[in-house]
Amino acid sequence: MKKQILMGINGDESVAYATKQVNPDVVAAYPITPQTIIVEKYSEYVADGEVDTEFVAVESEHSALSSCVGAAAAGARAFTATASAGLALMWEILYIASGLRLPIVMAVANRALSGPLNIHSDHGDSMGARDSGWIQIYCENGQEVYDACLEAWRMGEHLDVQLPVMVCLDGFTLSHTMENVLTLQDEVVKAFVGEREFIEVEGHAGKTEFRLNPEVPLTMGPVDLQDYYFEHKLQQVEAMDHALNVIPEVDAAYEKISGRSYGLLHSYMMEDAEVALLGLGSTMGTVRYVVDELRKEGVKAGLVKMRVYRPFPSEALIEALGETPVLGVLDKAISFGSPGGPLFEDVVTTFFDEAERPLIADYIHGLGGRDASPKLLRGIFESLLEIKEKGNVSHKVNYVGVRTEVR
Amino acid sequence: MSERKPGWRELPRGAVSTKSSKDYKTGDWGITKPEFDRDKCTKCTLCHFYCPEGAISIGEEGHPSVDNDYCKGCGICAEECPVSCITMVITI
């Protein structure tokens, strides 16, 4: 393990600092609350000459990600960051970045989508992008944010993967909250991320590295009709499958230098758990606190934090939760008109064919930054214990921490 | 288009084109082709510059000719010709 320096920084600063240490060739970003600090901080690094990055001050998020696509196609390491409406404006380009297999890294400071206008945290923005072909990592705290912003490059750039990576951090709860973050030294980070590697492709002018080079020209992203488009989508499916193996490998390499590793998911107090909560992001820190409290009271509670949501770690999930009698899923997003929250749907699909599976209920919480307090989470555990008692789930989808009528 | 196309495992990643656009003949897309009236043509070359496919070339004597492997029959050349010397002829 290498020497580390303890810093007091917020989540956005963790993103900016980690990215400074990676020193990517291009950062193209447009500020939007609660991601703004990332852009401000990074432009300071550029102005102060601390990085070699070409900083592109674009006029919109559509342009921000488009610039990253161009830069990455030319062989650069490209980074951007956004949130909420900014991510929505990137929509078209999200699919282009993944479809062209460009390993861009993007931080998303999760924020509710308008309207009505809300600047606080939920997962409505990045959940909408779950089918866009990006790897998605959800962070619990500032330390995880810093670590993910270093690991993301190696996950996405791996020759078997070649996909863009989204590092998600809850707006304000993480983005603006100062925490102790252990940081590696610049040269250690530099050695860890190394240089971007390229796959070899055979284009119309012969074999070449997969980057734009006038010596051996390539055509990227041309019209792809009925006769080829489907094949190229299958290649993205394969890349996501590969990522399930590559991510733990990168994590193991990162553990050697930092002493920290996270895996695809992280289980806590699950050995003998009778009721458990599964969720993403900062809420899981509070769940851990509640699990500790309940354990002191003799309740066999546990939690599983999903760090990697795309690719979806089905096998790891079955291993972690197959023997748990009752499972509550914490969704921080609504998928309107669907059978449940996005995470709930994926979890239920995963367990459907399993002989041994928990009783599963969905708890949609925290929309628009609504607090997920220990009291609220304790209430969810109580409802899970009730399900265990009764042996069936009467309400599959529950909206918790929301007023119905006050009279 | 009956030749056997490669499967997803064989194709290069990143959806890069394995062929140059020259190898992808689009002449059978359209139903019309331009015909040039050499007597009326003033050799202005506007048809050559307007052709979105680059399918019209100018010969040594300055007269335009069309490469039917790539002409999609859009008719822009006929529309733009200042002396109306181009007629779009239905080919099917």
Side-chain angles (χ1 to χ4, degrees):
Chain A
M1 216 170 82
K2 305 287 185 181
K3 188 186 163 210
Q4 298 184 61
I5 301 142
L6 188 65
M7 293 174 73
I9 47 178
N10 64 38
D12 276 357
E13 287 169 334
S14 294
V15 173
Y17 190 77
T19 309
K20 178 188 98 152
Q21 293 184 304
V22 172
N23 196 5
D25 303 291
V26 172
V27 171
Y30 190 89
I32 179 169
T33 303
Q35 154 269 34
T36 315
I37 303 164
I38 301 172
V39 183
E40 286 174 348
K41 201 77 201 165
Y42 205 84
S43 38
E44 274 176 36
Y45 294 142
V46 174
D48 294 346
E50 292 192 57
V51 286
D52 309 306
T53 308
E54 185 74 34
F55 185 87
V56 191
V58 286
E59 77 280 22
S60 77
E61 285 84 356
H62 189 280
S63 305
L65 193 53
S66 297
S67 303
C68 288
V69 164
R77 271 198 168 134
F79 174 87
T80 188
T82 192
S84 182
L87 184 63
L89 189 52
M90 285 181 177
W91 224 251
E92 178 190 9
I93 316 300
L94 288 176
Y95 287 76
I96 292 174
S98 60
L100 298 194
R101 310 294 295 276
L102 300 171
I104 296 159
V105 173
M106 166 157 70
V108 173
N110 285 113
R111 163 184 154 181
L113 284 163
S114 297
L117 180 67
N118 180 299
I119 57 166
H120 292 281
S121 179
D122 69 35
H123 295 160
D125 51 1
S126 57
M127 275 298 155
R130 69 188 184 274
D131 295 338
S132 66
W134 285 58
I135 291 171
Q136 284 195 338
I137 298 167
Y138 287 80
C139 304
E140 181 188 323
N141 53 43
Q143 185 68 63
E144 287 193 17
V145 172
Y146 172 80
D147 296 332
C149 284
L150 301 181
E151 286 189 67
W153 297 96
R154 280 189 52 175
M155 293 171 182
E157 290 175 6
H158 192 285
L159 296 180
D160 293 339
V161 179
Q162 300 277 303
L163 289 175
V165 185
M166 215 177 271
V167 177
C168 303
L169 59 147
D170 289 327
F172 293 102
T173 317
L174 297 184
S175 70
H176 286 59
T177 305
M178 189 182 283
E179 292 182 69
N180 287 333
V181 175
L182 281 165
T183 59
L184 294 159
Q185 291 169 296
D186 290 354
E187 60 271 20
V188 176
V189 170
K190 208 176 162 186
F192 177 74
V193 296
E195 295 285 324
R196 185 178 159 192
E197 286 182 84
F198 299 91
I199 51 168
E200 192 179 74
V201 292
E202 184 154 8
H204 69 272
K207 281 191 180 169
T208 180
E209 279 186 339
F210 181 55
R211 64 188 173 92
L212 297 176
N213 169 14
E215 303 294 320
V216 190
L218 272 184
T219 303
M220 290 186 184
V223 63
D224 205 22
L225 298 178
Q226 299 96 321
D227 51 353
Y228 281 100
Y229 183 86
F230 201 172
E231 277 73 22
H232 290 131
K233 294 298 120 180
L234 261 285
Q235 294 181 340
Q236 287 177 250
V237 171
E238 182 196 43
M240 276 285 176
D241 286 344
H242 286 166
L244 278 177
N245 300 323
V246 167
I247 292 168
E249 278 172 33
V250 173
D251 219 32
Y254 189 69
E255 187 177 18
K256 279 190 190 150
I257 56 166
S258 68
R260 294 180 295 276
S261 75
Y262 304 99
L264 299 164
L265 9 113
H266 171 78
S267 299
Y268 181 68
M269 294 289 193
M270 285 305 294
E271 296 76 21
D272 60 343
E274 293 180 340
V275 285
L277 277 177
L278 169 79
L280 307 159
S282 64
T283 308
M284 299 316 288
T286 319
V287 176
R288 186 177 287 108
Y289 170 81
V290 174
V291 165
D292 286 342
E293 272 192 349
L294 290 170
R295 284 276 168 175
K296 275 183 218 153
E297 296 162 22
V299 179
K300 288 182 175 169
L303 73 88
V304 174
K305 174 179 72 180
M306 188 173 283
R307 182 194 183 218
V308 178
Y309 177 63
R310 285 292 182 267
F312 195 78
S314 302
E315 271 181 41
L317 194 69
I318 291 166
E319 202 177 314
L321 284 159
E323 290 170 19
T324 310
V326 183
L327 171 64
V329 177
L330 290 168
D331 263 300
K332 213 171 169 178
I334 290 184
S335 176
F336 294 109
S338 74
L343 182 57
F344 172 74
E345 288 182 350
D346 289 341
V347 171
V348 171
T349 305
T350 299
F351 279 112
F352 185 78
D353 285 328
E354 293 302 305
E356 234 184 347
R357 62 182 184 206
L359 292 167
I360 309 170
D362 192 13
Y363 297 88
I364 294 175
H365 74 291
L367 299 189
R370 179 68 51 88
D371 194 21
S373 65
K375 191 182 164 200
L376 180 91
L377 296 167
R378 182 177 265 273
I380 296 174
F381 272 114
E382 279 163 15
S383 129
L384 295 177
L385 288 165
E386 214 173 285
I387 291 170
K388 189 175 170 283
E389 187 92 350
K390 289 197 300 192
N392 65 67
V393 182
S394 50
H395 295 286
K396 276 192 195 304
V397 182
N398 307 273
Y399 299 89
V400 294
V402 61
R403 294 182 301 277
T404 303
E405 23 188 6
V406 186
R407 286 211 177 96
Chain B
M1 297 273 238
S2 59
E3 96 266 30
R4 201 171 130 53
K5 296 186 178 71
W8 68 268
R9 287 187 196 279
E10 302 147 334
L11 284 167
R13 268 46 183 173
V16 299
S17 297
T18 51
K19 289 177 175 178
S20 157
S21 53
K22 278 187 190 165
D23 302 324
Y24 198 72
K25 293 185 178 167
T26 51
D28 60 354
W29 287 21
I31 58 161
T32 59
K33 298 291 173 209
E35 265 183 20
F36 303 89
D37 182 343
R38 288 200 166 207
D39 296 335
K40 274 168 116 185
C41 175
T42 60
K43 304 178 184 176
C44 72
T45 71
L46 276 179
C47 54
H48 163 74
F49 287 106
Y50 271 109
C51 176
E53 285 297 316
I56 295 175
S57 51
I58 306 298
E60 271 179 29
E61 288 169 21
H63 282 296
S65 63
V66 64
D67 185 338
N68 281 328
D69 280 346
Y70 304 104
C71 172
K72 292 174 182 165
C74 68
I76 289 174
C77 52
E79 183 68 25
E80 296 297 337
C81 176
V83 295
S84 303
C85 82
I86 305 173
T87 316
M88 298 307 292
V89 181
I90 293 179
T91 54
I92 51 165

